[in-house]
Amino acid sequence: MTAVTHPENIPVTASESLVFEKRNGAASLDATLRSLVEIPAALLVLVEVGVLLAGVVARYVFHQPLVWSDELASILFLWLAMLGAVVAFQRGEHMRMTAVIGMVPPPARAFLDVVAIAAALAFLLVVVEPAFEFASEESFITTPALEIPNVWRAAALPVGMGLMILTALLRLAEVGSRRLVLGALGLVAALVAVMVLLQPVLQDLGNLNLLVFFVGVVAAAVFAGVPIAFAFGLATVGYIALTTDTPMLVVVGRMDEGMSHLILLSVPLFVFLGQLIEMTGMAKAMVAFLASLLGHVRGGLSYVLVGAMYLVSGISGSKAADMAAVAPVLFPEMRSRGAKPGDLVALLSATGAQTETIPPSLVLITIGAVTGVSIAALFTGGMLPGVVLGATLCAVVWYRYRGEDLSHVRRASWGEIGRAFVISVPAIALPFLIRAAVVEGVATATEVSTIGIVYAVLAGLLIYRRFDWRRLGPMLIDTAALSGAILLIIGAATGMAWALTQSGFSADLASAMADLPGGAPAFMAISIVAFIILGSVLEGIPAIVLFGPLLFPIARQVGIHEVHYAMVVVLAMGVGLFAPPFGVGYYAACAISRIHPDEGMRPIMGYILALIVGLVVVAAVPWISLGFLG
């Protein structure tokens, strides 16, 4: 064969040169596609801020509400979620667990990396046609305010999925080894074929299929390094296609429902706000003050993280948004002081579970809505359980950092603390401004982040005199990618929750729990275990909608106060939500922190144990939940 010269002047064969040219061509197309998606995704973040802010100003300042603002924000939000998911896919930023594949030899690891792309491609190919069908059916629905066909919103699903399919194909084309690509595609195709051939057997298994798909398939995919969203999606479409007669169109509809809650729009906006806080110097000023107070204490900023999550929890109505508001402020300084990334994301996840009952909590509101329990009573009862779990987390922080070397850290004088406080006042005022805007009715939980964004921009420009316009574009793209990765997980998890509902599993579980011997203590113990497991796959609101109407009457029947039971159930679901390897919240925390999930696996175990201890205390002492009810 004729030899040619590689760009690095290494002689290669003509066939190898052709492969190299194909890879170069695929990489060039990939880069072009990436630019075409990143620009509109970044612009959508800005437009969403403008639309929501316009709604706040029109309603509160001019007393002329824009009836179309929420509707337009909702339409654009699905496009932001899907294009953000595409950007995350292009950048390889969808959350995946590689703890297992990290232990295998490099050749096997490379193969599993290609399998992850092939598995994601398989899921997308299955749902893209139903997504087109779903969008076409939405064309018959007219939006109430703008009076336009709802296809303008729903089209985001097939377009996003189509772009991810194209990205996956380009990524496979960029892989240097054809053998790797064919092997990965062959393995995924073979597994799909085996499951299809086993369909008659699976249809006879009944609810055992829940173990096959939602435990077996999910676990195998997650441990093989398939991104979490696609692992959930594969399990759901496999279960629906092979064991039921339900059309795949319904799965797409449930994904749309999960990703389209307007309250979730606070996720990208708070992510962007967190980046602004860091870029404008507000974070530096705030952390400098906090460090002057607790910097000389071992593990001091970890205590600050626990307290900060307690204070901001519930502002946005989204736990992911709460974490996005806190992590960018504290993590850089904590890293500079020697904190390990794994411990940072582990504590952030644990505080997410700790603060699940802090009002205003969407889960508590949902409980009140579906069970008839007083929401005011739930809000009152939710404060102290979070303190108890926070205390258990602080005990772990004390133990882990008891030997921290602070010889290089000088205790600040009162004068230095005072100066740091004055400088930090505009930054410290931000969380109070956000909470006041919600409490006073100036803005909704979704809109309030826009007030924070405007405040941060003005503080950066006028007070701290620090605003790098060149960073604005990359920040917007990062916001879109991070939000898309989180929202696709939520959409896939919502589809999985719906599949569990249709199986009748929820009713069977409630019946079994009602028949338990041992009365209230046994029912409470089983509830804790059940809701930890449910929280890891369903998240709070879907689980409450499924099981609240069934289990709360049983709790009343065995003598457990509803508010007390609600606190225990919500905290148990929080532990499940933020506990790896299945907890969606843990991967959201990793995405927000930009820390690999593997790094937090070991450190989080101590915090999860502390949360369980606190949960048991809350369950055993009803006064913690009921003491302030009067």
Side-chain angles (χ1 to χ4, degrees), residues 79-150:
W79 280 96
L80 172 58
M82 291 307 298
L83 292 183
V86 176
V87 175
F89 197 63
Q90 292 170 331
R91 295 163 61 155
E93 293 180 357
H94 278 284
M95 299 311 299
R96 56 195 290 248
M97 190 181 75
T98 56
V100 174
I101 67 173
M103 296 185 289
V104 303
R109 193 181 317 153
F111 176 68
L112 288 173
D113 284 340
V114 182
V115 168
I117 299 174
L121 178 62
F123 166 72
L124 293 166
L125 288 172
V126 170
V127 296
V128 69
E129 183 180 350
F132 273 105
E133 185 181 350
F134 176 79
S136 66
E137 290 196 0
E138 290 292 297
S139 64
F140 298 105
I141 300 173
T142 301
T143 62
L146 294 173
E147 297 184 347
I148 60 174
N150 202 42

Side-chain angles (χ1 to χ4, degrees), residues 229-573:
F230 299 108
F232 287 173
L234 283 169
T236 303
V237 298
Y239 174 79
I240 294 298
L242 298 177
T243 69
T244 74
D245 297 324
T246 305
M248 204 59 63
L249 177 72
V250 178
V251 177
V252 176
R254 298 290 76 76
M255 289 183 64
D256 171 47
E257 180 185 341
M259 298 170 68
S260 296
H261 288 299
L262 194 59
I263 192 67
L264 291 173
L265 182 52
S266 57
V267 174
L269 299 185
F270 267 102
V271 169
F272 185 51
L273 175 59
Q275 293 183 323
L276 282 174
I277 290 172
E278 185 276 326
M279 186 259 277
T280 57
M282 296 174 69
K284 186 176 181 181
M286 193 183 303
V287 170
F289 171 62
L290 295 173
S292 70
L293 288 176
L294 292 171
H296 61 283
V297 177
R298 290 186 174 92
L301 293 184
S302 294
Y303 298 128
V304 172
L305 175 59
V306 174
M309 276 296 289
Y310 185 92
L311 291 174
V312 307
S313 183
I315 287 177
S316 68
S318 164
K319 193 58 59 182
D322 295 339
M323 293 188 294
V326 170
V329 177
L330 290 174
F331 278 17
E333 180 66 19
M334 293 173 78
R335 277 195 177 100
S336 69
R337 288 170 175 263
K340 296 178 180 178
D343 196 53
L344 292 180
V345 74
L347 182 57
L348 181 65
S349 297
T351 56
Q354 167 219 342
T355 55
E356 284 284 76
T357 62
I358 308 302
S361 162
L362 283 182
V363 180
L364 293 182
I365 293 171
T366 305
I367 287 177
V370 301
T371 66
V373 182
S374 165
I375 294 176
L378 291 170
F379 279 9
T380 303
M383 300 298 291
L384 199 52
V387 173
V388 172
L389 267 66
T392 62
L393 292 178
C394 287
V396 177
V397 169
W398 172 84
Y399 181 80
R400 288 189 171 174
Y401 288 92
R402 68 192 187 283
E404 184 181 13
D405 180 17
L406 296 179
S407 59
H408 61 288
V409 178
R410 182 180 63 84
R411 182 168 186 166
S413 66
W414 286 108
E416 290 170 329
I417 293 173
R419 284 192 296 273
F421 173 70
V422 171
I423 295 171
S424 68
V425 164
I428 292 175
L430 178 57
F432 295 98
L433 171 68
I434 289 173
R435 188 174 290 277
V438 174
V439 173
E440 297 298 325
V442 176
T444 66
T446 304
E447 296 167 335
V448 73
S449 51
T450 63
I451 296 176
I453 289 170
V454 172
Y455 180 90
V457 170
L458 293 176
L461 290 172
L462 304 178
I463 300 175
Y464 294 104
R465 302 294 179 91
R466 182 176 165 186
F467 199 95
D468 188 350
W469 292 99
R470 293 170 299 180
R471 288 182 57 188
L472 195 57
M475 283 166 53
L476 291 168
I477 295 170
D478 288 347
T479 297
L482 184 55
S483 304
I486 294 170
L487 292 166
L488 191 62
I489 290 176
I490 293 173
T494 304
M496 189 161 64
W498 177 84
L500 283 169
T501 307
Q502 297 307 301
S503 71
F505 172 70
S506 55
D508 292 343
L509 177 63
S511 176
M513 292 176 70
D515 295 335
L516 285 172
F523 180 75
M524 186 70 88
I526 294 298
S527 294
I528 290 173
V529 174
F531 276 99
I532 287 176
I533 296 171
L534 290 171
S536 69
V537 294
L538 292 181
E539 293 194 87
I541 290 175
I544 285 299
V545 171
L546 294 179
F547 297 102
L550 296 171
L551 296 181
F552 273 73
I554 301 173
R556 282 195 299 268
Q557 188 178 337
V558 298
I560 300 174
H561 195 286
E562 292 166 313
V563 173
H564 179 210
Y565 187 66
M567 297 306 121
V568 173
V569 161
V570 171
L571 291 174
M573 286 192 296

